Amino acid sequence: MPSPAQQTPVSPPPTFSSSESFARELDAADPLARFRERFHIPQHAGHPAIYLAGNSLGLQPKAAREIIDQELRDWADLAVEAHFKARRPWFPYHEQLRTPGARLVGALPHEVVFMNGLTVNLHLLMVSFFRPTAERHQIVIEDHAFPSDTYAVSTQLAWHGFDAAAGMLLLRPRPGENLLRTEDIEALLDREKRRIALALLPGVTFLTGQVLDIPRITRFARERNIIIGWDLAHAAGNIELKLHDWDVDFAAWCSYKYLNSGPGAVAGCFIHERWARDPKLPRFGGWWGNEPATRFQMHVEREFKPVPTADAWQLSNPPVLAMAPLIASLALFDEATMPALRAKSEQLTGYLQHLLDELKSDRYEVITPRDPTARGCQLSIKIRDDAKKLLHQLTEAGITCDFREPNIIRAAPTPLYNTFSDAWRFADALK
Ligand SMILES: *Cc1c(COP(=O)(O)O)cnc(C)c1O
C-alpha cells in the first residue's frame, strides 16, 4: 500500500513519447480497450467527447438498459408476483450485488450491502459507530472533506448535544503543502486518543486524488481503540481494496462515480463481520434488516431480529429500478478485474502526468501525488490564471472535466472507458 508522496521516491521516468501516434500505439496494446465499447460515450460535434469526469458521474454501461427493461416488463407482467417470480426476484434483489460488491472492495459477501445514498449510509453507520460519551466524543475528519461528509459529521455531533465545531478534529496538510502526511494523521490520533470517538477518513481524497494508507492508518487507530470508518466514494472502483483483511470497522461509498451506476445510484456499505455479527450493536431497524425468514410475518413478529450480516442496516425494500444498473456495472468490474484495471490506470494516469510535464508550463501545477501508488486515476490541476476561462475552452473543445472552486480542474482518465488518445488530446488542448 502507498505511503504519501513526500515519503516515497518519485517513480522512475516513464518511457513515454509525446507523439499522438504513440498514444494510438498504447491504445492498440491495451488489453482492456474492448471495454470502451460497452459504454455509451457522449458525443461532441459528431465525435466521441473526451470524457474525464468519471470521478463525478461515470458513463452509462450499455447493458444497464436491458436490465431496467426486464424489471419494467416483470412489473407489467407479474406485478406483486415479481417478488418471487421475476427473472431476478425482487425479494432478494440486493443479495445478487453482495458477492461482486465484496470482490470490488476486498470483503466477505456478508460484510457488504447496497442501499440508499452515501450520505444516508454515513448517518446510519454513525448511529452504530459514533457512540460518544462526555469525555470521548470527537470525530476526526479531513478539513477539505467532501461537504456532505462534513455536514453529516457536524449534525451527528449536534444531534448528540455536542458543539459541532469543537467536536470535529480537522486534518489538514502542513502549511505550504497540498497533501496529508500519514505521520501527521497518526500524531493526531495518538495525541487525542482519549477524546476521539470516531475517525472518518477518505480512502482517496476528492480534491487532490491522494490515496491514504488505509491499512496502516486503520491499524494505528485500532491499536488505540479508535473506531475507524472510510469514505470510499473516490476509492471504490478506482484502487484495490482489502477491507476485510485490513480490519476496517466500516466503510461506505457511492456508485455513480467510478462505479458507473447512474445518477443517484444505490450506494454501498461495508461492515466488518466482527460488528455485523453482533446483534446487540445499536442501529436503526427496518423490515429489510430483519431475518429474511420472518420478514414477511408482519403481524406475527414484533421483535426486530437483525440478520447477522451487513443487511441488518437495511431499512426498506430495495429500489429495484435504481439497483438494476449496478448489476450491469459490477459485472463489468468482475470481467475486467480490479488488478488489471489498476495496472492500466497507473499507466494511463502516468502517461497523462508525463504529457503535462512535457508542456513545461508554469501556468498550472499538478497537486496530486506523483507516486503512482499514492494516487488513483485522477490528476488535480491547480490553475494559476483564469481557471474558469480555461475550463470553458476545454468544454468548447469537447473535453469534459470537473471544476472545483476556486481554481482546480480535476481530470480522471478511467481505465474502463478512457483511452491513451483521450489523455493525449486533453494535454494537447491544454497546450
Ligand atoms: C460524491 C460524494 C458524496 C455524495 O454522495 P451522496 O450519495 O449524494 O450522498 C459524499 N461524500 C463523498 C466523499 C463523495 O465523494
Side-chain angles (χ1 to χ4, degrees), residues 98 109-113 271 273 275-278 283 289 306-314:
R98 237 182 230 160
H110 60 270
E111 294 174 320
V112 171
V113 63
I271 296 139
E273 65 175 357
W275 293 117
R277 283 203 175 129
D278 178 1
R283 76 197 86 200
V307 56
T309 71
D311 281 7
W313 277 262
Q314 260 182 142

Side-chain angles (χ1 to χ4, degrees), residues 117-119 146 148-149 231 233-234 254 256-257:
L118 170 54
T119 311
F146 195 90
S148 205
D149 296 38
D231 185 324
H234 286 84
C254 53
Y256 52 84
K257 293 168 182 161

Side-chain angles (χ1 to χ4, degrees), residues 55-77:
N55 53 350
S56 216
L57 185 81
L59 294 182
Q60 182 186 137
K62 288 180 180 166
R65 183 180 297 267
E66 170 49 30
I67 301 175
I68 296 172
D69 281 348
Q70 178 71 46
E71 306 315 340
L72 287 171
R73 280 195 299 273
D74 287 340
W75 179 19
D77 298 344

Side-chain angles (χ1 to χ4, degrees), residues 63-355:
R65 183 180 297 267
E66 170 49 30
I67 301 175
I68 296 172
D69 281 348
Q70 178 71 46
E71 306 315 340
L72 287 171
R73 280 195 299 273
D74 287 340
W75 179 19
D77 298 344
L78 302 168
V80 72
E81 301 283 335
H83 280 299
F84 298 101
K85 293 191 181 149
R87 171 137 175 253
R88 298 180 184 84
W90 297 346
F91 181 83
Y93 203 80
H94 64 284
E95 291 177 13
Q96 59 194 314
L97 299 171
R98 237 182 230 160
T99 303
R103 274 193 287 269
L104 187 79
V105 297
L108 303 175
H110 60 270
E111 294 174 320
V112 171
V113 63
F114 282 86
M115 59 186 194
N116 313 312
L118 170 54
T119 311
V120 178
N121 290 341
L122 290 176
H123 277 296
L124 290 176
L125 290 164
M126 280 193 273
V127 165
S128 299
F129 292 104
F130 177 51
R131 308 292 301 162
T133 61
E135 311 74 57
R136 194 169 186 181
H137 67 261
Q138 293 208 292
I139 303 183
V140 178
I141 184 174
E142 204 196 348
D143 188 13
H144 274 299
F146 195 90
S148 205
D149 296 38
T150 307
Y151 304 152
V153 161
S154 62
T155 55
Q156 282 277 334
L157 280 159
W159 185 73
H160 282 283
F162 297 105
D163 182 88
M168 288 192 283
L169 285 176
L170 300 176
L171 279 171
R172 52 173 79 89
R174 294 182 186 186
E177 296 186 1
N178 295 308
L179 305 173
L180 293 167
R181 296 181 185 230
T182 307
E183 68 264 30
D184 290 354
I185 301 173
E186 291 180 341
L188 178 71
L189 294 176
D190 196 46
R191 196 175 63 235
E192 305 292 343
K193 55 182 174 283
R194 280 176 209 87
R195 297 199 296 143
I196 299 172
L198 170 69
L200 182 65
L201 301 180
V204 176
T205 65
F206 90 98
L207 198 60
T208 66
Q210 177 184 7
V211 174
L212 294 190
D213 192 335
I214 302 176
R216 179 171 150 184
I217 297 167
T218 300
R219 201 179 320 117
F220 194 91
R222 299 217 46 236
E223 281 165 6
R224 280 151 193 81
N225 234 345
I226 296 171
I227 296 273
I228 184 154
W230 292 91
D231 185 324
L232 302 176
H234 286 84
N238 181 13
I239 60 171
E240 287 183 83
L241 297 162
K242 296 193 168 63
L243 299 183
H244 176 83
D245 289 350
W246 294 341
D247 222 10
V248 162
D249 287 308
F250 70 91
W253 59 93
C254 53
S255 307
Y256 52 84
K257 293 168 182 161
Y258 294 115
L259 297 187
N260 311 311
S261 299
V266 180
C269 290
F270 165 88
I271 296 139
H272 198 283
E273 65 175 357
R274 69 192 142 74
W275 293 117
R277 283 203 175 129
D278 178 1
K280 291 201 199 65
L281 202 64
R283 76 197 86 200
F284 287 168
W287 67 335
W288 242 256
N290 199 67
E291 275 290 352
T294 54
R295 188 178 286 159
F296 272 3
Q297 296 186 16
M298 302 193 210
H299 296 291
V300 189
E301 299 285 337
R302 285 192 194 279
E303 194 197 340
F304 175 61
K305 292 201 187 89
V307 56
T309 71
D311 281 7
W313 277 262
Q314 260 182 142
L315 303 183
S316 299
N317 71 112
V320 168
L321 297 178
M323 253 180 190
L326 258 170
I327 296 169
S329 168
L330 293 184
L332 289 173
F333 279 89
D334 266 344
E335 196 182 329
T337 75
M338 272 314 297
L341 286 166
R342 183 63 173 144
K344 174 177 171 185
S345 177
E346 286 185 20
Q347 195 193 14
L348 181 56
T349 304
Y351 174 65
L352 179 59
Q353 172 86 61
H354 164 81
L355 294 174

Side-chain angles (χ1 to χ4, degrees), residues 339-384:
L341 286 166
R342 183 63 173 144
K344 174 177 171 185
S345 177
E346 286 185 20
Q347 195 193 14
L348 181 56
T349 304
Y351 174 65
L352 179 59
Q353 172 86 61
H354 164 81
L355 294 174
L356 297 180
D357 289 347
E358 286 296 292
L359 296 183
K360 295 190 177 42
S361 167
D362 56 10
R363 292 175 59 205
Y364 57 79
E365 176 199 358
V366 175
I367 59 170
T368 303
R370 288 192 71 86
D371 172 3
T373 65
R375 67 181 178 211
C377 63
Q378 167 185 325
L379 292 182
S380 297
I381 308 169
K382 200 183 248 179
I383 309 294
R384 294 255 151 72

